[in-house]
Amino acid sequence: MKVMVLLSGGLDSATCLAKAVNDYGSENVIALSILYGQKHKKEIEASNKIAAYYKTEHITLDLSSIFKFSDCSLLASSDKEIPTESYAEQLKKTGGSPVSTYVPFRNGLFLSSAAAMALSKGCSKIYYGAHADDSAGNAYPDCSKAFADAMNEAIYQGSGFQLTLETPFVGLTKAEVVKTGTELKVPYELTWSCYAGGEEPCHICGTCRDREETFRKNGLTDPLLKGDNQK
Amino acid sequence: MKVMVLLSGGLDSATCLAKAVNDYGSENVIALSILYGQKHKKEIEASNKIAAYYKTEHITLDLSSIFKFSDCSLLASSDKEIPTESYAEQLKKTGGSPVSTYVPFRNGLFLSSAAAMALSKGCSKIYYGAHADDSAGNAYPDCSKAFADAMNEAIYQGSGFQLTLETPFVGLTKAEVVKTGTELKVPYELTWSCYAGGEEPCHICGTCRDREETFRKNGLTDPLLKGDNQK
């Protein structure tokens, strides 16, 4: 059984890759990373390091052209600033609409690309690390269980029953994902989360705040806040 | 209300574009055509002519890199021949698996790309011209009603309830699609269907056979078989 894993280089997808390697062995796992015009291209460097650590095949795809008309703040082509508030504060302002770093139907596109490539590479499963916190309050609707269930059905039907989607963390909080990953000894020092596009984490974007809080909830310190990694 | 239409340049998608223009006016319709490494790139020329005829905005996207590992016979990179039998005969050989011109999860990828672009361009609907004949016997599972229903749910959920998918022909046969299109005066002489990649229709691939039969069922002759168009 071969498995394709969407690998963005952050905490959740790194944990998802670790789980797939744990479940099927690194020789049966293919990681897929996607450039989409994001400011924080540094996450691709992180993906390269994580895939190398786990010794899995790693494919990188450039889909930037699909987002050329989007003004999402996460994109390098946008003049909008990345918000520096927590997600709870951002959602108060959007009134329940997706946050400004929601990239239009990005995860649907990523899963469909993964499905196309997975079938070509003989995989029969896709692993996707979405968790409950990301979809809370409609911040990122393409992380919700309802979305993942529908995509699973679309992939199963549209592949002629050859491929399914697994979302092992869809019922977990981000803190619970990192708890699982800590047990699996995920090298979190290799991961990257910050949305701001700098060489070091900004510590103030929603994603930096989320990440650091996630480690604190587990009684841990984010390894990117420690020693050499802070230089 | 703005609408995005997937336009491949064949009979079904040209009819779908005509329907969208009829329903919403050409100024509210955006056609999307996709290069994916197909042998019959000539369908993009057809798409250009059809979109120009209907005076709609037209976007062309290149997603060839996603299929670089596929050996589907429809791709220019494949050594496999395009089958020269009817779909019924092909399905007897595959034993109910997709036919060799099924491009892995292509329509899922196209609909996801359309969803990403539609949200960026302020559209709230996607029109997709799949019909009942294409999915019969699992030939093209990404044309089935079950697939379209699941994709609609995925797009609705994953867009945060901003976008839906319409499949006006999903319950119709291809002959009924062309009947509708004939009433809408679709310029079928501008369309292209043949999979073989030549300058003229081959008349023997499954898609040529299907196309010519579809016109015959309506008491019509395929305009590509007539006079000047045959030169």
Side-chain angles (χ1 to χ4, degrees), chain A residues 59 61 63 66 69-70 102 104-105 108-109 112-113 115-117 119-121 141 146-147 150-151 153-155 157-160, chain B residues 59 61 63 66 69-70 102 104-105 108-109 112-113 115-117 119-121 141 146-147 150-151 153-155 157-160:
Chain A
I59 299 168
L61 202 59
L63 299 181
I66 293 177
F69 301 113
S70 173
Y102 164 74
F105 207 62
L109 177 68
S112 295
S113 305
M117 298 195 108
L119 287 170
S120 305
K121 299 284 280 181
F147 164 74
M151 277 307 297
E153 184 66 12
I155 288 171
Q157 293 289 343
S159 67
Chain B
I59 300 168
L61 201 59
L63 300 182
I66 293 177
F69 301 112
S70 174
Y102 164 73
F105 207 62
L109 177 68
S112 295
S113 304
M117 297 195 110
L119 288 170
S120 305
K121 299 285 279 182
F147 164 74
M151 276 306 297
E153 184 67 13
I155 288 172
Q157 293 289 343
S159 66

Side-chain angles (χ1 to χ4, degrees), chain B residues 200-221:
Chain B
E200 299 296 327
C202 72
H203 307 300
I204 55 169
C205 73
T207 296
C208 273
R209 289 173 191 270
D210 230 34
R211 175 186 171 108
E212 293 166 16
E213 178 68 14
T214 297
F215 282 103
R216 277 195 295 274
K217 282 180 179 165
N218 280 287
L220 302 168
T221 302

Side-chain angles (χ1 to χ4, degrees), chain B residues 140-193:
Chain B
Y140 293 106
D142 54 350
C143 292
S144 72
K145 184 167 186 320
F147 164 74
D149 287 348
M151 276 306 297
N152 181 28
E153 184 67 13
I155 288 172
Y156 184 63
Q157 293 289 343
S159 66
F161 322 115
Q162 299 180 78
L163 188 64
T164 57
L165 178 62
E166 297 266 330
T167 49
F169 309 143
V170 83
L172 304 186
T173 63
K174 194 173 182 83
E176 288 167 333
V177 172
V178 167
K179 183 168 183 288
T180 304
T182 303
E183 287 160 10
L184 290 170
K185 300 192 185 348
V186 174
Y188 285 126
E189 70 280 7
L190 304 181
T191 63
W192 186 261
S193 304

Side-chain angles (χ1 to χ4, degrees), chain B residues 19-93:
Chain B
K19 182 158 169 47
V21 167
N22 191 61
D23 293 350
Y24 297 102
S26 60
E27 69 281 13
N28 293 313
V29 172
I30 304 172
L32 174 65
S33 302
I34 301 181
L35 283 157
Y36 57 94
Q38 64 268 57
K39 286 178 175 146
H40 60 310
K41 266 198 220 170
K42 198 175 163 82
E43 67 174 6
I44 298 289
E45 288 170 36
S47 300
N48 291 341
K49 288 177 192 164
I50 298 160
Y53 176 91
Y54 281 111
K55 299 185 171 59
T56 66
E57 184 176 344
H58 186 211
I59 300 168
T60 302
L61 201 59
D62 188 345
L63 300 182
S64 315
S65 60
I66 293 177
F67 298 106
K68 65 186 167 190
F69 301 112
S70 174
D71 67 347
C72 164
S73 68
L74 200 59
L75 301 175
S77 56
S78 169
D79 295 333
K80 285 189 192 163
E81 295 284 321
I82 301 277
T84 57
E85 299 148 317
S86 72
Y87 283 114
E89 287 162 341
Q90 290 180 48
L91 282 165
K92 272 187 216 159
K93 289 192 185 170

Side-chain angles (χ1 to χ4, degrees), chain A residues 116-136:
Chain A
M117 298 195 108
L119 287 170
S120 305
K121 299 284 280 181
C123 300
S124 41
K125 266 188 207 269
I126 298 170
Y127 268 39
Y128 166 49
H131 58 76
D133 288 352
D134 271 346
S135 65

Side-chain angles (χ1 to χ4, degrees), chain A residues 27-80:
Chain A
E27 68 283 12
N28 292 313
V29 172
I30 304 173
L32 174 64
S33 301
I34 301 181
L35 282 157
Y36 56 94
Q38 64 268 57
K39 286 180 175 144
H40 59 309
K41 268 197 218 170
K42 198 174 163 83
E43 65 174 7
I44 298 289
E45 287 170 36
S47 299
N48 291 340
K49 288 177 193 163
I50 297 159
Y53 177 90
Y54 281 112
K55 300 185 172 59
T56 67
E57 183 176 343
H58 185 212
I59 299 168
T60 302
L61 202 59
D62 187 346
L63 299 181
S64 314
S65 61
I66 293 177
F67 297 105
K68 64 185 168 190
F69 301 113
S70 173
D71 66 347
C72 163
S73 68
L74 200 59
L75 301 175
S77 56
S78 169
D79 294 333
K80 286 188 191 164

